[in-house]
Amino acid sequence: MATIVNTTEEEPMLAVVRFTAELAWADAGPDVAEPEVARLCAEAQQHVLAGRWLDMASLMLASADLLLLSPRVLDKDLECILAIICNLVTKAGSEDEALQIAEAICAKLVQQPGDKPALRIKVLFSLYNLLASPYGKAFVYRKALEVAAAGKAAECVIPSFKNIDTFVADWGIGKLEQRELFLAVARILKDQKGMSKEYFNFLNKYLATFDGSADDADVISEAKEEAAAAIIEFVKSADLYQCDLLDMPAVAQLEKDEKYQPVYELLKIFLTQRLDSYLEFQSANSTLLQGYGLVHEECITKMRLMSLLDLSSHCAGEIPYSAITKALGINDDEVEYWIVKAISSKILDCKVDQLNQFVIVSRHTERIFGIPQWQSLRSKLLVWRGNIANAISTIQANKVTEDGGQGMQGLMIR
């Protein structure tokens, strides 16, 4: 087997051509193989001397399928060969040429992704780092996601998802490209254990790209399945008690959809109503809930906490035990258990007045944070700013009075 040795700037590329040519013609016999190998090496030499890097990439990639599938090529050798091919993008005379080379490399790596997917993704990420073009980086990253999804190698790309927002800003991609990206990430996360919150977040990002404009009119129906999935994920989650799904056009369309209307109704119950509404819905739609994998007891638990939040939002800072028992469908001796559960879930800050049987709420999570909640927050901030201004004025007035008193005292001493 040939060995690639770095001795000059161009020799690694020529060594790769020789290596792949010898591998391709290994079974043809020396009489046939040697002239073909020599011809390919001479052609490669001409491309290097003329600076025809796209032609060089095409020549080097001609036997890429053989390299990727051959048991005679070790993974470390294959990675080295592909790294040398990827490096051609740095030699390209223009951004367009570099992008064409990157596209040619990606076209080879996305074929048969089930074979060595981790290696393919590693090479694609190396190619990503070599490219200067934001568009090229975005293109290569999407190809890496394709390989990860088809090759069942999600673990290779999931660590990069935490940087998606930064990537999108750096790439400067438009709404449609963002939509495709967020959907691809969501589909990768869908079946990953312990990643339900991340899955929900990317479903949200995807659905938010549909703003209800005329441009989306013909395609918004494509988001129905993901909109329903986001609702189910929210209902299932024991950590999510607030969302903006009701305000999204992609979700609102479900209200009039024959298949998904009950799912939309379920979301409205969890975000705007109380336990009694859920129990009524469940009695009429138990089969539907089971079909989506929702456990009735878990839904009751979450709906009780949601009902407690609803009480908090409508009270004047104090909730009587009797209101809690009625809304949550519990006994008096269970009130404190649910208060503690809400506090541990970080959705409620409060004190319990056991003597008078009141819960004094200092903070609660809003199930929906829309325009009314923003207006309420604005009012509170204005009051807070006014209180601060009054406090400052009082301190300054007291300081003036104190300074004046000290001055008078000094005159009396003289």
Side-chain angles (χ1 to χ4, degrees), residues 7-43:
T7 57
T8 69
E9 186 178 358
E10 283 76 27
E11 279 187 9
M13 292 182 289
L14 300 178
V16 167
V17 172
R18 180 175 294 279
F19 180 88
T20 55
E22 289 176 347
L23 184 66
W25 292 96
D27 299 327
D31 292 341
V32 176
E34 290 178 4
E36 288 296 329
V37 171
R39 179 184 63 80
L40 292 170
C41 289
E43 184 180 344

Side-chain angles (χ1 to χ4, degrees), residues 1 19 23 65-75 77-78 115-116:
M1 183 177 292
F19 180 88
L23 184 66
D65 295 337
L66 178 63
L67 289 171
L68 287 164
L69 300 175
S70 175
R72 289 182 284 181
V73 181
L74 300 176
D75 284 356
D77 293 331
L78 178 58
D115 187 75
K116 302 183 179 72

Side-chain angles (χ1 to χ4, degrees), residues 153-170:
E155 68 281 358
C156 297
V157 295
I158 285 176
S160 69
F161 292 170
K162 64 180 181 292
N163 299 316
I164 287 289
D165 290 339
T166 302
F167 291 160
V168 169
D170 291 344

Side-chain angles (χ1 to χ4, degrees), residues 262-338:
V263 180
Y264 181 83
E265 185 180 349
L266 181 65
L267 176 67
K268 287 188 69 175
I269 290 171
F270 270 79
L271 291 179
T272 65
Q273 299 176 41
R274 296 182 182 177
L275 178 64
D276 55 345
S277 298
Y278 165 74
L279 292 175
E280 182 180 345
F281 177 88
Q282 191 273 337
S283 64
N285 298 277
S286 59
T287 303
L288 177 99
L289 296 178
Q290 291 174 3
Y292 280 110
L294 294 171
V295 179
H296 179 50
E297 290 74 16
E298 294 175 357
C299 288
I300 288 180
T301 297
K302 182 165 183 171
M303 201 62 221
R304 278 177 171 154
L305 292 172
M306 289 295 208
S307 300
L308 188 56
L309 291 180
D310 189 62
L311 283 171
S312 301
S313 66
H314 289 90
C315 74
E318 293 185 352
I319 312 174
Y321 275 29
S322 58
I324 297 174
T325 57
K326 181 179 179 181
L328 274 63
I330 57 175
N331 299 321
D332 289 346
D333 58 359
E334 296 177 280
V335 170
E336 292 177 18
Y337 167 82
W338 286 99

Side-chain angles (χ1 to χ4, degrees), residues 105-116:
I105 295 171
C106 290
K108 289 294 183 181
L109 291 176
V110 298
Q111 295 175 13
Q112 296 182 290
D115 187 75
K116 302 183 179 72

Side-chain angles (χ1 to χ4, degrees), residues 53-54 57 61 86 88-107 127-128 130-143:
W53 304 115
L54 180 56
L61 290 167
C86 288
L88 288 172
V89 300
T90 65
K91 298 179 179 294
S94 68
E95 191 173 287
D96 286 344
E97 185 181 20
L99 182 57
Q100 287 179 295
I101 294 172
E103 289 174 344
I105 295 171
C106 290
L127 177 60
Y128 176 97
L130 290 170
L131 286 166
S133 162
Y135 175 83
K137 286 178 176 289
F139 175 82
V140 172
Y141 188 80
R142 288 197 298 270
K143 293 301 177 181

